[in-house]
Amino acid sequence: MADKERQKQKKERKSCFGYPVSIFFIVVNEFCERFSYYGMKAVLVLYFKYFIGWDNDLSTTIYHTFVALCYLTPIMGAIIADSWLGKFKTIVYLSIVYTIGQVIMAISAIHDITDANRDGRPDNMTLHISLSMLGLILIALGTGGIKPCVAAFGGDQFEDHQEKQRSTFFSIFYLSINAGSLLSTLITPILRSQECGIYTKQSCFPLAFGVPAALMVVALIVFVIGHKMYIMESPKGNILLQVIKCIGFAINNRFRHRSKQYPKREHWMDWAEEKYDKLLIAQVKMVVKVLFLYIPLPMFWALFDQQGSRWTIQATTMDGNFGGFVIQPDQMQIVNPILIVIMVPIMDSAIYPLIKLCRINFTPLRRMTVGMVLAALAFVAAALLQLQIDQTMPKFPSTSQTQLKFLNVESTSLPVLVEGQDQFMVPGFNASSEYMTLDKENVTITAGGVNDTAYLKNGNRHTVIMNAAGMRNTLDDLTEKPEQGLNAIRFVNGFETRLNVSVKSDNVHADPLDASVYLFVPHGKVNFTIFNADGRTCYYVMQLGFGSTYTVLIPSTFRFGQTCSESLEAVQDMEPNRVHMAWQVIQYFLLTCGEVVYSVTGLDFSYSQAPSNMKSVLQAGWLLTVAVGNIIVLIVAEAGSLPDQWAEYILFASLLVAVSIIFAIMAYFYTYIDPNEIEAQFKELEPEDKKRKEMEMMTKDNMAYVHYENTDIKQTKI
């Protein structure tokens, strides 16, 4: 009945240029779904860091836990589709789950829903965390569950004689994946960098998650619209479950016959012969042989997937100004899909043929080994870059230290003597050149000839406001770089009356001999308005980079006018990010080259070495290596105690080099096979094998009958 229904669907379906019209809906669905997934994923680690407020390690851990879950659930999706619902219903139902998850993520990022005091920060962060975790779980179930179904469902739409069209479809399908990834990685960081909110304006994470949610709704609607045109295969049972059962029976049977009285068999899978035919056992042997090679592979993915976590966090401490445009930290991930589009044809049409001309036997497994080494080199490059970044970062005090600098609001230089230190001069209307590090909290300070005690806090930075009368105020300074590449600006009032400062919608004030709170402003030209209670104003302009902090002194000689840029003194407390984001292209280039020769080759190798009916099993195994790789990252992020980020990069690079050596040794002893040839041999023997098993069963039945007859005779004699 199912075959008749399929033939009926084939006759009734519409085609365009020789292609089923139904594949249009599938390709559009895949583009929207990949846009949704990669768009949400691009800004996820910054959502954890800036909105939720987690530190780098916890943000990295949760990010990789989510990615690992996304690559564990495809096995579930494949089993549901093949054994229960079929591909179409599985895609629809799990897409609904997926869409709900994306909507929940967008809602979780709306700070106004719990911001009762309207200070720009959620008052009930537990609610936001709970919603985001629920959303991520649903997304992982959805995206992972439909991953093994969509491409296969597209392949089902073609007839046997349409191999060329089917091949073209898979190329277009792969292109739609990369197009969705590329566009979303470009667009969603731009959406995140916007400011939105009902009461206070914050980074627009709701929009950055909302657009992917909307695209997922579109993906679901488009897919359902085409349902009358689809060829829908009925569930036929899952080969993965058969493989697992066969392996389980072989292991169990071998354990039950572990005594020396039982003869050994050539392969441990041969212990399944009592229940399974030799063809299936031979196919499982081929699969197990490849799966054994998969054991070292997760380490590559442990490095590869840190593009979206550690490398994105690294980019937040860099200069993203490219002249005519600005790159957001989470936009740097777009380098990977761009380089893939460039590198794949270069490798296939230039590099590999050139290697072949040099008569080098560059086998698939050797390519994968080179890919691992290139990924390790990418992390060495990341470590070297991190060392350069660290040299430009401020040296903050430890928990047993405090740091101090002095700001002179007088027009003349003043001497300063700190207990246990040499005397120095602070210029008029200026600050001491750098922070002084002290090992105790309370120190005696002589400023302008007046002795006083400063009560400081360990682990903090302070600025002392001073004039000819001595110390007048002690300010608390920032002890970390401003987030999201913003600049922190505060104003110290050396004028005689209270002054107000505004920029955009933010307004602060500074009393005499005191400072305003920090204003956080983006890079570029920023216009501040300074005004008093009488309405007198002047304008102050600053040209800012990324991640700097300034204390702007309004001196006693200040006068209102059209501009006051020349009369104010800006003191730099932290310099802007000096290392340019373009330097990350080196590590992205190395990692992408590694991906091309590792991932593309690995998939091709797995396909070529897999039996005809078990390619999905190896696909599930391949996805499982990605999941395990992400689990490795979260273990290192949580359990690792390395003090410096560059050291962690070197650790990952070293681990991958060690694993690549192990993999190279395993590859050296691997023998390439032709699954079709082996299957053909066993199919020829299959009728004889069935006859042999039937004879064995008949023999067993006869022996049982004879045993029964003998037993009956004995009972009669008694």
Side-chain angles (χ1 to χ4, degrees), residues 426 583 596 604:
V426 180
W583 286 106
V596 170
D604 182 53

Side-chain angles (χ1 to χ4, degrees), residues 445-463:
I445 297 174
T446 303
V450 179
N451 290 333
D452 206 342
T453 301
Y455 299 97
L456 312 174
K457 294 179 182 178
N458 280 341
N460 284 15
R461 281 182 156 192
H462 302 277
T463 293

Side-chain angles (χ1 to χ4, degrees), residues 465-478:
I465 299 176
M466 54 177 283
N467 60 15
M471 289 174 49
R472 305 311 304 267
N473 207 343
T474 303
L475 308 176
D476 291 331
D477 299 352
L478 295 179

Side-chain angles (χ1 to χ4, degrees), residues 40-103:
M40 178 276 304
K41 185 168 166 255
V43 300
L44 187 59
V45 76
L46 297 187
Y47 167 76
F48 293 148
K49 181 176 171 61
Y50 296 139
F51 185 90
I52 301 295
W54 289 334
D55 62 18
N56 291 348
D57 287 340
L58 185 55
S59 298
T60 300
T61 297
I62 302 301
Y63 174 88
H64 286 283
T65 301
F66 165 70
V67 176
L69 191 58
C70 288
Y71 283 93
L72 285 171
T73 49
I75 297 174
M76 172 205 71
I79 292 173
I80 291 173
D82 292 344
S83 305
W84 183 26
L85 295 177
K87 297 184 187 75
F88 175 77
K89 288 183 179 179
T90 301
I91 294 169
V92 171
Y93 294 159
L94 289 181
S95 291
I96 293 171
V97 172
Y98 193 166
T99 304
I100 293 171
Q102 288 282 32
V103 171

Side-chain angles (χ1 to χ4, degrees), residues 192-221:
R192 176 199 61 79
S193 66
Q194 306 303 306
E195 291 186 344
C196 62
I198 300 172
Y199 307 119
T200 56
K201 303 297 182 184
Q202 302 292 333
S203 291
C204 206
F205 284 106
L207 185 60
F209 289 139
V211 170
L215 263 291
M216 195 57 222
V217 172
V218 173
L220 178 58
I221 292 172

Side-chain angles (χ1 to χ4, degrees), residues 9 12-14 22 25 88 157 223-232:
Q9 288 175 335
E12 294 176 351
R13 68 177 182 167
K14 298 178 182 179
S22 57
F25 299 96
F88 175 77
Q157 307 309 304
F223 186 74
V224 172
I225 286 174
H227 76 282
K228 291 185 178 179
M229 303 181 192
Y230 297 141
I231 293 174
M232 301 183 195

Side-chain angles (χ1 to χ4, degrees), residues 443-718:
V443 293
T444 301
I445 297 174
T446 303
V450 179
N451 290 333
D452 206 342
T453 301
Y455 299 97
L456 312 174
K457 294 179 182 178
N458 280 341
N460 284 15
R461 281 182 156 192
H462 302 277
T463 293
V464 172
I465 299 176
M466 54 177 283
N467 60 15
M471 289 174 49
R472 305 311 304 267
N473 207 343
T474 303
L475 308 176
D476 291 331
D477 299 352
L478 295 179
T479 53
E480 61 180 13
K481 276 270 193 176
E483 294 180 342
Q484 304 183 57
L486 296 175
N487 301 277
I489 313 296
R490 67 179 174 185
F491 291 79
V492 170
N493 186 3
F495 198 57
E496 56 192 14
T497 61
R498 171 184 278 200
L499 295 173
N500 301 287
V501 182
S502 68
V503 57
K504 294 185 178 180
S505 60
D506 295 326
N507 290 281
V508 296
H509 69 270
D511 291 320
L513 298 180
D514 202 358
S516 69
V517 297
Y518 281 102
L519 289 164
F520 292 92
V521 295
H523 79 285
K525 184 182 287 188
V526 182
N527 295 293
F528 298 91
T529 303
I530 302 173
F531 59 97
N532 64 5
D534 298 332
R536 302 174 67 190
T537 62
C538 80
Y539 300 99
Y540 179 64
V541 180
M542 296 185 75
Q543 187 69 37
L544 300 169
F546 294 84
S548 63
T549 63
Y550 286 90
T551 298
V552 180
L553 173 61
I554 304 174
S556 56
T557 56
F558 167 75
R559 294 293 180 268
F560 286 102
Q562 181 63 29
T563 178
C564 46
S565 296
E566 294 182 2
S567 60
L568 274 59
E569 184 66 36
V571 176
Q572 188 180 84
D573 299 324
M574 293 186 209
E575 65 179 356
N577 302 340
R578 286 198 285 112
V579 180
H580 203 275
M581 212 178 284
W583 286 106
Q584 277 199 322
V585 173
I586 297 172
Q587 62 207 53
Y588 273 102
F589 175 76
L590 289 169
L591 190 65
T592 304
C593 289
E595 179 190 4
V596 170
V597 297
Y598 173 88
S599 182
V600 176
T601 304
L603 287 170
D604 182 53
F605 166 78
S606 300
Y607 193 88
S608 69
Q609 297 295 291
S612 57
N613 63 336
M614 294 190 183
K615 299 187 188 299
S616 61
V617 177
L618 286 185
Q619 177 68 14
W622 182 266
L623 295 174
L624 189 62
T625 66
V626 182
V628 175
N630 281 272
I631 292 171
I632 292 171
V633 180
L634 66 92
I635 291 172
V636 172
E638 279 299 297
S641 56
L642 296 173
D644 299 307
Q645 184 57 53
W646 67 265
E648 184 178 294
Y649 289 145
I650 292 296
L651 172 63
F652 275 109
S654 302
L655 289 173
L656 186 55
V657 168
V659 166
S660 66
I661 294 171
I662 295 170
F663 182 77
I665 295 171
M666 294 169 66
Y668 179 79
F669 291 100
Y670 181 84
T671 304
Y672 291 86
I673 59 172
D674 184 352
N676 294 329
E677 185 178 326
I678 295 174
E679 286 178 326
Q681 292 174 359
F682 276 93
K683 283 177 181 177
E684 289 177 4
L685 297 172
E686 195 171 10
E688 296 179 9
D689 188 43
K690 284 184 178 179
K691 285 182 181 179
R692 182 181 60 81
K693 284 194 173 182
E694 287 175 1
M695 291 294 295
E696 287 178 356
M697 290 298 295
M698 290 176 63
T699 303
K700 286 181 180 179
D701 290 342
N702 290 335
M703 289 179 67
Y705 177 77
V706 170
H707 176 73
Y708 172 79
E709 289 291 327
N710 290 339
T711 303
D712 190 53
I713 291 169
K714 288 178 182 178
Q715 287 178 343
T716 304
K717 287 180 178 179
I718 291 171

